[in-house]
């Protein structure tokens, strides 16, 4: 594996989870969750704290990271989102409220970083987590483990949504909140669970991304446009689309910048953010409803042609 | 007749109530200002004023786009930074060209720049005409570049729905910061570049004059926006914000009106960015983060009241004072944080987040809610009513 591909896989897995988290929340609650930025950063800091205080591998702290992210999600739901949903607030108000929460979390992250520096003598403002990684089959283990974990999480989520009673109830609420409420589904619980899952996904995603990039307190702030780009690329209508979109954004960024820097020289490295944004702008221009909005079945049908005797 | 009088009187009472709220906020602001003045003298007031004026310009432009047009402008920083680039890169180069100094990409490299700018400053200090020309030209070029970028950004995104639009604007805002940070030939990339100082001619009074100039410009922007939002154009903006379907049905070209609003707003925001760079005297693109130039203006606007220019001004003033107070009183009030190694400066973000959340949850319309304003001034409306009543009276008697 080329080095860019290894880091690209790690980074894209993280981006896929965060983009999936944004998509999930948008589908269920119509909320564009800005707080994903700080949830991701917090996820990274939980893993970092675990490693530097108790040692071990980054991977063993991911369950803890997930739990903490879920906690942040629940706090946001009960403190903020719930009241606004009941008030049927506009999309922008919902978005702004999560921005406020994100800024609160950002200040707590900065304070936490100060606290770590002061109390434990750590250097939490520039962290490279991948020094704690090990080698697997001659590659960085994260490049193999993290995509697998992402796929595993996605499969779990898929089974949760399609095979369990509550998952089906959740999908019903997504499709038609009023009707599902009338048939006795507790939409409050559905919203809460989606915040739990989304918060956990965002935090784990942040912890993933820190394995490929330098972890700083503003890490999430700087990558949030890319997370949103992934969600938009995915179309914001299906969870799988969001995860795929995030993954594609991450991979194009790494592959594109690697190719361009070989062709044009290393100066392009500074503009790496441009590639995913270009991709996002192109998606918005060509397929305003994202990858999921491309009428794939229709296209194939038009290529194959109508079956004889089939009505229009 | 009596009924009409009564309703007019009721309206007046209501108006007074609203006025009281504004007066109340102004009173708090004055009290805080005197408190700060007593403690730290006149300089702190000037700093607050200058921050207030710069952010007032930026926030009012945001209010035009978000408050009046309903565009979720999460990329305010893009226009601001373009204004800053324009002022940092273009006017200084033009003067350098006329003086026979290097003006290409090497203008921005720090080893050349730190020799060049003092020479330009000497020229500027020698004649007030050149200084004034430089100032006016800088602001003009900032506004033009801002308008251009506003148009450019609006192209892929303007047709989109609320959230999508906001997010693409956010992404573009970030992109420009990275361009400035990496393109060394323009404004020095990661190394800050000095900007020629048109206020050098005032020597000791420089700071006072800058405050005055920015204040005057902020005031002019306020007047302009007040006029604009009361004009037919402003009405169509509000119509599109409140119901774009009916606006479309009434024959408004939604995309074009929104684009115009974005272009005007970006031009004004770029003006703010340019003024900020002239005041600071140097241009470092890494300083133009979305935290400072997108999210703070959003917090200001939400506190003040979305869609009300006066409210926005009060919101900016109040929060600017609170922000400065955190800096001044950090060891005095928040000493307990220092004992565990936490810098109280981070409380700025806490304040920003808390203000946004509290405003959304408890007073969604802000300190000074948007008022439904009559199309004509009140005296004129009264005149018309009186004339009509007179005419009616005559017709009934005859």
């Amino acid at each position: 594996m080329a080095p860019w591909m290894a880091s690209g896989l790690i980074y894209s897995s993280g981006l896929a989870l965060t983009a999936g988290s944004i998509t999930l929340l948008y589908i269920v609650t119509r909320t564009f969750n800005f707080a994903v930025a700080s949830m991701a950063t917090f996820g990274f800091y939980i893993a970092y704290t675990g490693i530097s205080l108790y040692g071990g591998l980054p991977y063993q702290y991911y369950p803890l990271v997930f739990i903490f992210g879920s906690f942040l999600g629940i706090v946001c739901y009960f403190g903020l989102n719930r009241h606004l949903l009941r008030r049927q607030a506009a999309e922008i108000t919902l978005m702004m409220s999560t921005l406020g929460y994100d800024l609160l979390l950002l200040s707590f992250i900065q304070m936490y970083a100060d606290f770590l520096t002061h109390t434990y003598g750590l250097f939490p403002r520039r962290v490279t987590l991948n020094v704690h990684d090990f080698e697997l089959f001659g590659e960085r283990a994260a490049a193999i483990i993290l995509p697998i974990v992402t796929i595993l999480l996605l499969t779990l989520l898929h089974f949760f949504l399609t095979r369990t009673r509550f998952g089906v109830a959740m999908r019903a609420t997504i499709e038609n909140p009023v009707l599902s409420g009338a048939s006795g589904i507790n939409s409050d619980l559905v919203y809460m669970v989606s915040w739990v899952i989304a918060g956990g996904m965002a935090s784990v995603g942040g912890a993933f991304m820190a394995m490929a990039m330098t972890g700083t307190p503003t890490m999430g702030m700087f990558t949030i446009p890319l997370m949103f780009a992934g969600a938009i690329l995915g179309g914001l209508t299906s969870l799988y689309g969001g995860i795929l979109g995030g993954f594609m954004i991450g991979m194009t960024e790494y592959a594109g910048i690697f190719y361009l820097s070989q062709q044009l020289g290393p100066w392009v490295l500074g503009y790496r953010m441009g590639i995913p944004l270009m991709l996002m702008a192109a998606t918005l221009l060509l397929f305003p409803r994202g990858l999921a909005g491309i009428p794939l079945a229709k296209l194939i049908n038009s290529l194959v042609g109508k079956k004889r005797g089939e009505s229009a | 007749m009596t009924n009409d009088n009564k309703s007019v009187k009721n309206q007046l009472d209501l108006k007074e109530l609203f006025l009281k709220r504004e007066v109340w906020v102004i009173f708090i602001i004055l009290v805080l200002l005197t408190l700060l003045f007593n403690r730290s003298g006149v300089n702190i007031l000037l700093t607050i004023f200058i921050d207030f004026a710069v952010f007032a310009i930026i926030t009012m432009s945001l209010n035009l786009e978000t408050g009046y047009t309903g565009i979720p402008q999460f990329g305010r920083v893009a226009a601001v930074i373009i204004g800053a680039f324009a002022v940092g890169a273009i006017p200084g180069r033009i003067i350098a060209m006329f003086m026979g100094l290097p003006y290409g990409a090497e203008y921005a490299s720090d080893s050349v720049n730190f020799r060049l700018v003092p020479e330009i400053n000497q020229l500027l200090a020698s004649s007030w005409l050149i200084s004034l020309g430089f100032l006016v030209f800088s602001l003009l070029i900032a506004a033009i570049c801002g308008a251009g970028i506003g148009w450019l950004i609006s192209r892929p995104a303007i047709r989109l729905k609320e959230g999508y639009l906001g997010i693409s604007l956010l992404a573009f805002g970030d992109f420009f910061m990275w361009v400035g940070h990496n393109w060394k030939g323009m404004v020095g990339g990661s190394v800050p570049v000095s900007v020629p100082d048109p206020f050098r001619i005032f020597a000791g009074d420089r700071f006072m004059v800058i405050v005055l100039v920015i204040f005057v410009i902020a005031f002019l922007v306020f007047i302009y926006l007040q006029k604009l939002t009361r004009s037919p154009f402003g009405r169509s903006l509000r119509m599109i914000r409140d119901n774009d379907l009916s606006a479309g049905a009434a024959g408004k070209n939604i995309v074009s009106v929104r684009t115009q609003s974005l272009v005007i707003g970006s031009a004004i925001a770029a003006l703010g960015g340019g003024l900020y760079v002239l005041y600071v005297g140097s241009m470092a693109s890494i300083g133009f983060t979305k935290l400072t130039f997108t999210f703070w203006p959003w917090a200001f606007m939400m506190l003040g009241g979305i869609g009300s220019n006066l409210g926005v001004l009060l919101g900016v003033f109040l929060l600017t004072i609170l922000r400065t107070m955190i800096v001044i009183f950090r060891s005095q009030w928040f000493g307990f944080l220092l004992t565990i190694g936490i810098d109280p400066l981070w409380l700025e973000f806490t304040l920003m987040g808390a203000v946004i959340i509290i405003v959304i949850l408890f007073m969604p319309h802000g300190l000074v809610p948007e008022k439904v304003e009559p199309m004509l001034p009140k005296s004129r409306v009264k005149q018309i009513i009186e004339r009509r009543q007179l005419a009616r009276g005559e017709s009934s008697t005859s």
Side-chain angles (χ1 to χ4, degrees), chain A residues 32 87 91 107 114 221 270, chain B residues 162 182 290 343 346 350 361:
Chain A
F32 273 112
R87 222 188 268 165
E91 212 172 84
S107 72
D114 273 354
M221 260 300 162
Chain B
E162 310 178 335
N182 287 297
K290 56 174 172 281
D343 190 343
W346 304 124
T350 322
L361 283 183

Side-chain angles (χ1 to χ4, degrees), chain B residues 61 64-65 71 73 75-83 86 141-159 165 168-170 172-173 176 255-271:
Chain B
S61 79
L64 173 70
E65 293 176 25
I71 300 169
Q73 176 57 283
R76 180 73 300 165
V77 64
V80 174
I81 201 172
I82 289 298
I141 203 93
I144 291 172
C145 291
I149 222 67
W151 185 83
L152 204 69
I153 287 179
S154 75
R155 281 308 85 196
I158 197 76
R159 283 162 216 277
L165 180 58
S168 22
L169 290 172
L170 174 89
F172 287 121
F176 284 107
V255 169
S256 133
V257 171
R258 284 171 100 190
T259 310
Q260 282 175 40
S261 154
L262 210 64
V263 167
I264 296 173
S266 299
I268 294 172
L271 199 71

Side-chain angles (χ1 to χ4, degrees), chain A residues 228-277:
Chain A
F228 277 125
I232 283 188
L233 187 67
L236 285 167
T237 45
S238 87
L239 181 59
Y240 315 113
I243 286 184
L244 189 69
F247 199 82
M248 273 179 69
I249 286 276
M251 283 318 268
T252 24
E253 184 182 340
Y254 267 80
I257 210 64
F258 177 74
Y259 175 76
L260 283 180
S261 65
Q262 286 209 323
Q263 297 294 314
L264 304 172
W267 61 269
V268 281
L269 287 174
Y271 302 97
R272 53 187 292 170
M273 231 189 98
I275 295 174
L277 292 189

Side-chain angles (χ1 to χ4, degrees), chain A:
Chain A
M1 243 191 282
W4 71 265
M5 208 172 160
S7 338
L9 275 175
I10 301 169
Y11 178 77
S12 312
S13 310
L15 217 49
L17 282 184
T18 47
S21 148
I22 291 170
T23 315
L24 177 67
L25 271 184
Y26 184 73
I27 298 171
V28 182
T29 64
R30 283 186 308 114
T31 309
F32 273 112
N33 186 13
F34 261 111
V36 160
S38 293
M39 285 174 176
T41 318
F42 246 126
F44 147 64
Y45 270 108
I46 296 296
Y48 170 71
T49 314
I51 291 177
S52 37
L53 295 188
Y54 305 105
L57 290 170
Y59 310 109
Q60 70 200 57
Y61 295 103
Y62 288 162
L64 193 68
V65 168
F66 192 94
I67 292 169
F68 192 77
S70 308
F71 168 70
L72 292 181
I74 290 185
V75 168
C76 186
Y77 177 65
F78 281 111
L80 214 67
N81 200 253
R82 191 178 186 208
H83 313 290
L84 296 177
L85 286 178
R86 283 191 180 167
R87 222 188 268 165
Q88 301 204 316
E91 212 172 84
I92 299 186
T93 312
L94 291 170
M95 201 164 162
M96 265 327 275
S97 68
T98 58
L99 174 62
Y101 185 59
D102 181 60
L103 293 171
L104 272 186
L105 287 184
L106 179 68
S107 72
F108 294 153
I109 289 169
Q110 297 277 18
M111 288 178 189
Y112 182 62
D114 273 354
F115 172 75
L116 284 182
T117 317
H118 181 82
T119 312
Y120 297 102
L122 302 173
F123 300 96
R125 293 195 174 272
R126 285 190 76 80
V127 180
T128 42
L129 263 191
N130 59 15
V131 294
H132 301 284
D133 204 4
F134 61 95
E135 289 220 337
L136 200 69
F137 310 125
E139 296 290 343
R140 283 168 56 189
I144 297 165
I145 296 176
L146 297 189
I148 292 175
V149 172
T150 309
I151 292 168
L152 212 70
L153 267 177
L154 185 60
T155 326
L156 269 179
L157 212 55
H158 177 78
F159 280 120
F160 172 66
L161 285 177
T162 50
R163 294 295 145 88
T164 63
R165 237 184 126 65
F166 189 76
V168 174
M170 229 172 132
R171 273 167 52 219
T173 312
I174 293 169
E175 291 295 328
N176 192 337
V178 179
L179 197 60
S180 67
S183 58
I185 293 168
N186 184 354
S187 57
D188 212 34
L189 194 64
V190 169
Y191 294 148
M192 197 196 81
V193 169
S194 70
W195 270 98
V196 165
I197 297 174
M201 272 167 79
S203 283
V204 173
F208 280 15
M209 278 158 85
M211 297 291 285
M213 59 194 285
T214 313
T216 63
T218 50
M219 181 181 97
M221 260 300 162
F222 280 122
T223 43
I224 182 98
L226 306 180
M227 303 173 189
F228 277 125
I232 283 188
L233 187 67
L236 285 167
T237 45
S238 87
L239 181 59
Y240 315 113
I243 286 184
L244 189 69
F247 199 82
M248 273 179 69
I249 286 276
M251 283 318 268
T252 24
E253 184 182 340
Y254 267 80
I257 210 64
F258 177 74
Y259 175 76
L260 283 180
S261 65
Q262 286 209 323
Q263 297 294 314
L264 304 172
W267 61 269
V268 281
L269 287 174
Y271 302 97
R272 53 187 292 170
M273 231 189 98
I275 295 174
L277 292 189
M278 229 82 101
L279 195 64
M280 186 184 82
T283 322
L284 287 175
L285 278 176
L286 300 175
F287 319 107
R289 297 176 59 209
L291 288 181
I294 301 174
L296 215 56
K298 226 180 178 179
L299 277 178
I300 293 170
N301 273 342
S302 70
L303 285 178
V304 173
K306 224 179 290 172
K307 272 181 204 153
R308 189 167 293 192
E310 196 183 37
S311 65

Side-chain angles (χ1 to χ4, degrees), chain B residues 4-23 371 378 382:
Chain B
D4 279 2
N5 271 344
K6 222 177 196 175
S7 70
V8 168
K9 215 174 184 182
N10 271 341
Q11 272 175 5
L12 277 179
D13 283 345
L14 225 96
K15 194 98 184 176
E16 271 168 14
L17 208 89
F18 276 125
L19 264 178
K20 264 182 196 157
R21 200 158 176 187
E22 285 151 25
V23 170
K371 282 177 227 166
K378 206 198 260 164
K382 255 187 193 167

